Amino acid sequence: MPQRLAIVLPPNSDQCPDMTEQTLSLIPDFDLSARNTLALKARSRFGLVLDAPDQVPAAFALAEKRGLGLRILGGGSNVVLSPEFEGITALVAIKGRSIREETDEHVLVEAAAGENWNDLVAYTVKAGFGGIENLALIPGTVGAAPVQNIGAYGAEIADVFESLTAYDSATGEVVEFSRQDCGFAYRDSVFKQQAGRFVVLSLRLRLPKPWQPNLGFAGLSELAGRDDLTPGLVMDRVIALRQSKLPDWRVTPNAGSFFQNPVVAPSQVEPILAEFPNAPKYPQADGKLKLSAGWLIEQAGLKGFTLGPAGISERHALVVVNHGGASADDISALASHIKATIRARFGVELHQEPVLL
Ligand code: EPU
């Protein structure tokens, strides 16, 4: 169970009538088109920029007082935004990061939810500490990182997670989550399971010392054995790998992997292996097998496929892209087509990663 830290502000604004209006200024007709990496045209009736932790409960109180819905947005890199939202969209922009503690065994790093994730990676590496270099260049904010338990190149944030603080909108309390409280799994956590309830405020990572490079993943393994190996060298290789494989959302708007890699029973994989003995498959601890959604989509002939203004990247079949002017409906129509094709061709169900907001 997460630990209750303090009551910052009652969620019922009647108990604190003037606080919200004084500290928060609503932005009318808030344009979110440049605030989502799929570059979907999107507006919100009101916007808020939250740059201090106590503004989070104040935002909930304000929304309640006005009778409006409230949704929280970080970097906008894992969302499919609807064109219009009739409530308040609050951007978490709380800044701050520091090395809290360094011992012979570990380094504790703390960062506020509104920090950019990749900036945090670069900050720790520049300070000489390894542990999150495999997660370089993942778009989005620090606050969003634990929600989907971001992962890449054989690492995930759960590996180095120490704790986080979050505002619980159901109780009006600020709570501290240990790693066990978070229910981390592949691209999953309690924050994702109970979407909309918790707003992450700050994150603590425990980076183990001495640094142990994680080079098991194809593309990194050739670095093994180098005697000049540093976290910076691994980070640079990860950045180069991502840039060579994944389309840059600034050039070709996208939300990264659009589907999770499906984890299925061995019996489901048999017919696929009978046809493609070399199909990529990764055994899981529970005996199931993780397949590569990108591989399945490419084998189904959909790499580079377009449906209206939405399409599948020519570079990576797991990335859905906006070729210009796509709406949430265009993206969803393409996603449905991909899912139906993979179901019919391989009998495998794909699960969408970006959240519909
Ligand atoms: N593949 C194809 N065709 C493609 C793309 C990939 O056949 O068009 C094959 C590859 O050859 C490889 C396999 O699929 O055998 C896996 O591809 P890749 O190494 O690119 O990784 P992925 O499973 O597609 C996952 C994460 C990425 C992460 C990479 C690298 C998920 C949903 N995605 O992708 O995370 O960067 O591994 O570790 O787990 C993200 O979540 O947004 C994301 C980009």
Side-chain angles (χ1 to χ4, degrees):
M1 283 295 290
Q3 293 294 306
R4 179 179 152 183
L5 288 185
I7 297 178
V8 173
L9 190 80
N12 179 353
S13 57
D14 292 343
Q15 295 170 37
C16 208
D18 299 326
M19 167 77 179
T20 56
E21 300 293 343
Q22 281 172 9
T23 57
L24 298 174
S25 47
L26 284 174
I27 306 161
D29 195 23
F30 197 42
D31 188 358
L32 296 166
S33 309
R35 297 187 183 274
N36 72 102
T37 62
L38 263 168
L40 303 180
K41 276 208 166 51
R43 306 191 83 79
S44 179
R45 186 167 164 203
F46 294 108
L48 276 177
V49 179
L50 308 176
D51 47 27
D54 61 355
Q55 291 183 347
V56 174
F60 278 90
L62 178 60
E64 193 178 306
K65 192 174 158 191
R66 295 274 190 118
L68 293 167
L70 173 71
R71 63 180 188 183
I72 300 286
L73 197 61
S77 59
N78 197 43
V79 290
V80 178
L81 292 182
S82 58
E84 304 281 343
F85 179 63
E86 276 306 311
I88 303 172
T89 302
L91 305 178
V92 177
I94 311 163
K95 293 288 193 310
R97 62 189 182 203
S98 59
I99 307 295
R100 302 294 298 187
E101 182 181 295
E102 185 183 356
T103 70
D104 289 345
E105 282 88 38
H106 68 254
V107 179
L108 279 184
V109 182
E110 188 169 298
E115 288 284 333
N116 174 275
W117 171 261
N118 185 55
D119 288 351
L120 180 67
V121 175
Y123 167 76
T124 59
V125 166
K126 199 169 169 214
F129 304 123
I132 50 174
E133 61 281 355
N134 290 33
L135 306 180
L137 219 60
I138 294 180
T141 57
V142 162
V147 176
Q148 56 156 327
N149 183 18
I150 56 168
Y153 302 105
E156 53 186 27
I157 194 172
D159 301 338
V160 289
F161 181 91
E162 170 74 5
S163 64
L164 65 73
T165 62
Y167 175 69
D168 182 351
S169 65
T171 63
E173 293 169 355
V174 174
V175 284
E176 185 173 56
F177 284 76
S178 70
R179 184 176 153 177
Q180 274 164 331
D181 298 330
C182 294
F184 287 128
Y186 169 57
R187 293 294 191 277
D188 202 12
S189 72
V190 291
F191 315 107
K192 190 169 168 183
Q193 290 293 325
Q194 301 184 47
R197 176 170 172 181
F198 297 104
V199 182
V200 177
L201 301 174
S202 69
L203 175 70
R204 266 189 189 207
L205 303 177
R206 179 187 289 260
L207 311 181
K209 284 173 69 181
W211 174 57
Q212 292 289 337
N214 180 351
L215 304 175
F217 202 91
L220 298 182
S221 49
E222 53 266 39
L223 291 176
R226 277 181 65 155
D227 47 18
D228 61 344
L229 202 59
T230 58
L233 205 72
V234 178
M235 180 180 76
D236 290 346
R237 178 61 65 96
V238 167
I239 289 172
L241 270 176
R242 289 185 73 98
Q243 286 174 336
S244 72
K245 283 189 170 194
L246 296 165
D248 182 347
W249 60 267
R250 292 173 191 83
V251 181
T252 315
N254 70 81
S257 296
F258 201 82
F259 299 99
Q260 294 172 15
N261 285 326
V263 179
V264 298
S267 58
Q268 257 188 293
V269 186
E270 274 164 26
I272 300 173
L273 287 178
E275 190 180 352
F276 302 98
N278 295 324
K281 56 180 188 316
Y282 311 94
Q284 304 296 292
D286 60 1
K288 291 184 171 176
L289 291 167
K290 190 191 270 185
L291 299 175
S292 289
W295 183 90
L296 293 170
I297 294 168
E298 177 163 357
Q299 296 310 311
L302 287 176
K303 196 169 186 172
F305 176 80
T306 60
L307 188 62
I312 299 171
S313 169
E314 296 274 2
R315 296 180 63 187
H316 198 296
L318 196 47
V319 180
V320 164
V321 297
N322 175 3
H323 287 301
S327 66
D329 283 350
D330 295 320
I331 301 291
S332 293
L334 175 61
S336 299
H337 179 74
I338 299 169
K339 290 178 73 165
T341 305
I342 299 305
R343 195 183 299 127
R345 177 73 176 82
F346 296 110
V348 170
E349 201 57 43
L350 292 181
H351 297 286
Q352 182 169 327
E353 180 50 34
V355 179
L356 293 170
L357 273 186

